[in-house]
Every structure is written in C-alpha cells, then in structure tokens.
Amino acid sequence: MDRRIFLKLLASSVITTPILTACGGGSNRGPASSGGDDVVPGTQTTPGAFVHGVASGDPLSDRVILWAHLSPEESDLSEAVVRCQLSDDPSFSNLLIDELLATGPERDFTVKYDAAGLLADKHYWYRFIAGETVSTVGRTRTLPAAGESADRLRFAVCSCSSYPHGYFSVYRMMANRSDLDFIMHLGDYIYEYEQDGYGDHADRLLDPAHEIIVLDDYRRRYALYRKDPDLQAAHAIHPFINVWDDHESADNSWKDGASNHNDGEGEWPARKAQAIQAYFEWIPIRPPTLDQTSIYRSFEYGDLASFMMLDTRLEGREEQLAIPIDPSRAQPRDLLGQTQKDWFKNKLATAQGQWKFVGQQVMFAQLQILELERLLPAEFPTSQFSPLIAINMDQWDGYAVEREEILNFIEDEAIDNVVVLTGDIHTSWANEVYKSSTLISNLTTEPLAAEFVTPSITSPGFPDGAAELAAALLPVVNPHMKYIELKTKGFILMDVTAERTQAEYYYAEDISTADMIGVESDTVKTVAVYDGSSRMTLDTPISTPRS
C-alpha cells in the first residue's frame, strides 16, 4: 500500500470527527463516577458500555486528547455515536464541549477527541455518553503556556507493565497522588507474549492466550489491560504522555524487524503497521499526520521545562549488534535515524524551558562490566570510547557513535540542565552522563547530563541476592552510576523547580496480591541535580505535595 494512503487511513481510524456540535468550544479500586458534585475521578465503578474507562493525553496549553472505548451490545454493529462532554467543574454544570462523535469497527469502537480552545494550566473534567449510559468521569489538565512563568512541576515517570507478573499496584500509587501534572509512560505498556511465555501469575490470565501478531490480537491485549481498575484509575485522574518501546510490537524491535518476530508470523512491515494502528487506537496520543508519521514530539511547560519525547525503536534504529566487542560498535549506527536526530538537536538548541527533559526508552549512560583494552581488536578506537565491555547492545551502548555525537552537540552548544528519563530495563538507576565513563573523567570533568531510569510497574528485575550483589559491584566499574536498585517495582516522581530537579523513587510494598494494591513501601530514594550542574546529590529531603 502507498505510504501516504496508509497514513491517511491510520489517521482517520484513530481520531474522531464530530458529527454534531451541541455547544461551543471501600477498596476504592473502580475507575471513576459518572457525575455529581462529589465526584473523585478514579474511585467509582465503570458503567457497562464503557468498561475500559476513560483517558486523556498529550496535554498542551490549549488542548488535550480525550479517549474512550465503547463496548457495543451488538457484535456486528457497523457504526455507533458517542457524546463527549468537557467542563471546568466536576458537576458538569458548565459544559464547554459537547460533541457527538462517530465510531465503529474500523477504529475498534474507540473514540478520540482533540479538545481545543482550553485555558492554560487548568484542570478540566470530561465524560462520554452512549444512549443513557454515562462513562466514568475523568480529570485532565492543560500545561502552562510556553514561555509563561511556571514555579513548579510534578510528574510521574513509569514503564514496563507485564500483566501476568502481578497486580498494577504502582498505577494505583500514581492515581492516589492528586497533584501530578501528568504521567509520562516510557513504553512496554503491553507485552506481546503468549500465556506463560513471560510470567505466570495464576490470577492474571492473558487475552488472547497466544502471542499477539495481527491487529485483532493487539486490540484484544489492549482491551484486557484497560479493564484493569488500577490502570483505569491512573488514566482517569491524570493525563498521560506516552511513547512506545519494543513490546507494543515485539521484543527487541528495530525499524526492519524484531528478535521476537519469527518464521511463520508473517511479514514484519504488516505486523509493525498493525501494532502501530492498535497503539494509536487505544493510547490517548495525538494521531499521526501526513507530515509527521512518528511519535517523537515536544511539549513546553511554561518557562520551566521543555520535553523532547524520542522513538528509539521503530523510527530509525538499525538492528542490534550480537556481541559487545563487535568492531561495528565503533562505526556510525542509527538509533534515532537522521531526520529524528536533526529534529532532536534543533529542539535541544532552541528549547525555551530552563530544564530540558528527554523522554526515551533505553539506557543512555554507559553500562559496562570489565576493562579489556588490551584484548580489543586493533581497529576498535579506544581513544574515542571507554575501553570497557558493555552489557547490553539494545541500549545506547550499542550505538556509541551516535551517543557521542549527541553529547558533543550538548557540549559544543553549551546546553545545560539536560535530564534524560528512561524506561525499558525494569530497574532503578540514577546516572551522571559523560562522554567517557572511566573513573578519571568522573573525577576531573563535569557531566553533560543526568539520567533517571524508572523501575517497572510489574516486569521482573533481578532476584533477591543477585540484585544486591550487582548493585554493589556495578558502580565499581561504572562510577558515574550514583544509585542502583535492581528488584523492586515502582515509579519516579519528578519534582521540578527553578533551583533543582529531584527524582523521588517510590516502591510498591507488594504486587503479588490484590490485598496490597496501592500500598507503598517505606523505602524512598531521592536524587537531585541543581541548576547549572548535572552532578547528583543523594538523599535530599522529600518534597511536599503542591497545594
């Protein structure tokens, strides 16, 4: 199929055009209520026609994406109409938007509406209506206008939710924090594996039970996840900013394939296109256009923060190297692709925000285990790269020349306050970022950026014993790594002021039982970087919630 025709079909299948404008512009484990002055989004039972809850995402200063899924009573229904309402009060006494939206099987009965004409830095409430059924109520928030004064920003960072590995306690923990501006999800929102292919919690069965490969499979897997009340609660109370990682398509994916795409599973371009279509249907992300086909995009939070969201998976990545000492590692290899890399550099150089946040999928800092300078091939340029053996070629370590190019650009352009936010590896890290991670450079040079890596929602880390040992040994050859925790599930709360950016690592007490849903561990780790320097300070005071 012609690329532009495919994109036009994709865009039309994931954004809903209004067909009528009605007016201008206990355990508490249910998603939200359907109305009333005492509505608390994320706390009540979901009506039957909207069993997958509601969601919002991609907030800007004047608009936000609103999302719902309709479960029609008739399985062969070809079209349905859903009303979308938005108000500036939770009782909906002052409707600002009241739109009739058409949906159908071509978009899996999802509805997605780009609610424009909103005021900056303001909470809004929204709901959907089908016939006499009213959805749960969602709450969302717009961002401060670019360049306008903003004193403080608080947002959560999370990734990696494997359904069979346990309950989504971490989503509930984020839902319980009412003062977050948004949740940043860095990918692996779903996993493609078959039942017992990756985790086997007896009470968390997959649908479908086989590995998901075609469009209907991906849709069913998203539908399963979105029935989870704790994930629904997080979506109902906070807007999301999402990017995909590999498991939204297949494990260790790159632009032309994936390690988990095997013979007998069809052509990769078809699987990739269907995975992307389901993602745009089910995730509250602004849809692609004919001019911009990717998920890399930017956000501005007043004058305080600029956000650059990258795609290190499907946009431009070349296939991963098989071994760390492959001489090809010293050659230019694409992780971002030239177009995205040019866009990224331009955004870094022109960012209006005091802090420059880079939301992306795989670890940016070097993760290495052993100095083997004398054993490396003669053609390996040890003068340019640290003579250490990297652990994971799926990370930026496998694309070292491109990382060096980005860091050279940051240094040459004197760009400060760069903070990289990372998911993917199910564990907690706080890294100072250097062009070389040798001990000498850490003692004599300033880091060029800071990196905070979020633990997973449920996906497994290291087992007991091995986690503690590895966390103790890795900093010996990776002295730029200032905090490592390798087994506990949780998220990072980023608290940002003009003075500093602080990462607070919050952990779930237990994800193995529903009795512990939303219960936090007493263990909290804080790491801060201060304006003008990426040197990390550990164990700073926990920030108080914003009033």
Side-chain angles (χ1 to χ4, degrees):
M1 178 182 294
D2 179 84
R3 179 172 174 270
R4 292 179 63 85
I5 295 175
F6 167 74
L7 288 170
K8 183 177 292 187
L9 291 173
L10 174 59
S12 68
S13 72
V14 295
I15 194 71
T16 311
T17 303
I19 59 175
L20 176 65
T21 300
C23 68
S27 63
N28 288 340
R29 290 194 62 227
S33 155
S34 58
D37 293 337
D38 58 348
V39 168
V40 180
T43 61
Q44 303 298 323
T45 304
T46 310
F50 297 100
V51 296
H52 301 98
V54 298
S56 67
D58 274 12
L60 301 177
S61 62
D62 66 340
R63 65 186 60 216
V64 64
I65 292 289
L66 306 179
W67 179 97
H69 175 267
L70 178 68
S71 298
E73 295 182 1
E74 303 173 37
S75 60
D76 60 347
L77 192 66
S78 61
E79 186 175 79
V81 175
V82 175
R83 185 181 297 275
C84 174
Q85 295 182 333
L86 178 139
S87 176
D88 57 6
D89 71 279
S91 65
F92 289 84
S93 60
N94 180 35
L95 285 181
L96 303 176
I97 290 176
D98 190 1
E99 301 281 6
L100 289 179
L101 310 174
T103 187
E106 75 283 352
R107 56 173 63 95
D108 201 22
F109 288 97
T110 59
V111 291
K112 187 182 288 189
Y113 181 64
D114 201 349
L118 307 181
L119 298 178
D121 197 19
K122 183 176 176 59
H123 279 117
Y124 291 93
W125 288 260
Y126 63 97
R127 64 188 179 189
F128 295 85
I129 302 171
E132 297 182 355
T133 302
V134 183
S135 76
T136 65
V137 167
R139 190 189 73 163
T140 193
R141 186 185 182 111
T142 53
L143 305 184
E148 295 296 318
S149 178
D151 297 328
R152 192 175 181 190
L153 163 65
R154 283 167 67 85
F155 63 99
V157 182
C158 64
S159 72
C160 303
S161 47
S162 173
Y163 191 87
H165 274 96
Y167 291 95
F168 288 163
S169 182
V170 177
Y171 281 128
R172 179 62 62 170
M173 289 162 56
M174 290 184 283
N176 289 343
R177 295 178 178 269
S178 62
D179 73 323
L180 299 179
D181 291 282
F182 54 83
I183 292 174
M184 179 183 292
H185 198 297
L186 294 176
D188 292 346
Y189 186 98
I190 64 168
Y191 280 71
E192 84 279 15
Y193 296 116
E194 71 276 14
Q195 189 69 51
D196 300 334
Y198 183 58
D200 57 356
H201 195 292
D203 297 329
R204 304 280 280 179
L205 300 179
L206 291 174
D207 179 41
H210 57 261
E211 181 180 337
I212 57 175
I213 298 172
V214 299
L215 179 60
D216 183 63
D217 295 339
Y218 284 101
R219 286 170 165 176
R220 287 171 60 185
R221 190 62 57 86
Y222 279 107
L224 171 70
Y225 272 66
R226 292 297 286 273
K227 283 186 178 179
D228 183 275
D230 305 302
L231 176 53
Q232 285 191 24
H235 274 297
I237 195 72
H238 303 302
F240 273 52
I241 294 176
N242 289 78
V243 289
W244 57 52
D245 195 13
D246 51 343
H247 291 288
E248 286 89 347
S249 53
D251 183 41
N252 285 347
S253 55
W254 68 94
K255 64 179 180 179
D256 295 321
S259 65
N260 193 31
H261 183 71
N262 307 309
D263 292 341
E265 293 180 340
E267 296 295 323
W268 171 250
R271 182 177 184 177
K272 175 180 170 181
Q274 291 174 89
I276 289 173
Q277 178 174 338
Y279 185 88
F280 277 106
E281 289 171 347
W282 280 86
I283 299 297
I285 182 175
R286 202 160 270 107
T289 69
L290 295 180
D291 297 320
Q292 173 55 271
T293 64
S294 299
I295 60 169
Y296 65 88
R297 61 206 193 280
S298 63
F299 300 85
E300 297 289 337
Y301 190 93
D303 63 353
L304 185 59
S306 296
F307 290 86
M308 288 141 275
M309 308 301 296
L310 302 182
D311 177 6
T312 65
R313 281 296 172 193
L314 301 181
E315 174 67 20
R317 177 193 282 259
E318 294 181 53
E319 185 175 3
Q320 298 87 335
L321 296 174
I323 56 174
I325 59 173
D326 188 327
S328 297
R329 182 171 172 241
Q331 304 303 317
R333 304 183 67 250
D334 283 338
L335 183 64
L336 300 178
Q338 190 63 49
T339 301
Q340 182 179 197
K341 183 167 59 179
D342 291 344
W343 172 90
F344 180 35
K345 287 181 178 179
N346 179 65
K347 288 295 182 181
L348 279 171
T350 61
Q352 300 181 48
Q354 177 178 346
W355 296 93
K356 294 85 178 173
F357 290 99
V358 182
Q360 53 100 55
Q361 294 81 353
V362 293
M363 186 181 285
F364 191 80
Q366 297 92 335
L367 173 57
Q368 306 177 105
I369 56 173
L370 187 64
E371 187 167 353
L372 290 175
E373 182 173 4
R374 297 178 182 177
L375 301 181
L376 290 173
E379 61 267 35
F380 200 97
T382 57
S383 61
Q384 189 173 2
F385 298 103
S386 176
L388 298 173
I389 297 303
I391 294 174
N392 186 352
M393 292 297 95
D394 189 53
Q395 300 176 175
W396 281 83
D397 276 335
Y399 305 82
V401 174
E402 185 160 90
R403 175 174 58 198
E404 199 82 355
E405 180 183 347
I406 296 298
L407 292 174
N408 282 333
F409 181 81
I410 290 172
E411 183 177 49
D412 293 344
E413 297 295 321
I415 301 170
D416 60 4
N417 297 338
V418 177
V419 179
V420 181
L421 303 172
T422 300
D424 182 63
I425 57 173
H426 312 171
T427 43
S428 304
W429 311 71
N431 308 317
E432 294 175 352
V433 178
Y434 300 83
K435 287 196 289 184
S436 169
S437 64
T438 61
L439 178 60
I440 293 177
S441 78
N442 274 261
L443 295 176
T444 61
T445 66
E446 282 291 318
L448 293 171
E451 179 180 35
F452 299 109
V453 182
T454 181
S456 68
I457 303 291
T458 55
S459 302
F462 284 53
D464 287 344
E468 289 79 6
L469 180 61
L473 293 178
L474 282 171
V476 175
V477 288
N478 295 275
H480 58 290
M481 294 180 167
K482 304 305 180 182
Y483 172 59
I484 303 175
E485 205 281 351
L486 299 176
K487 66 178 182 180
T488 317
K489 308 301 107 186
F491 72 98
I492 305 175
L493 192 157
M494 302 298 301
D495 190 83
V496 185
T497 66
E499 178 188 13
R500 60 98 180 98
T501 284
Q502 177 162 285
E504 302 171 9
Y505 292 78
Y506 290 94
Y507 297 105
E509 182 67 30
D510 187 359
I511 65 167
S512 66
T513 172
D515 294 336
M516 298 295 287
I517 287 293
V519 177
E520 293 186 8
S521 167
D522 293 334
T523 301
V524 181
K525 186 69 174 182
T526 61
V527 186
V529 291
Y530 288 83
D531 179 38
S533 173
S534 295
R535 290 276 186 189
M536 291 183 166
T537 302
L538 276 63
D539 300 321
T540 47
I542 296 175
S543 60
T544 57
R546 182 179 53 204
S547 59

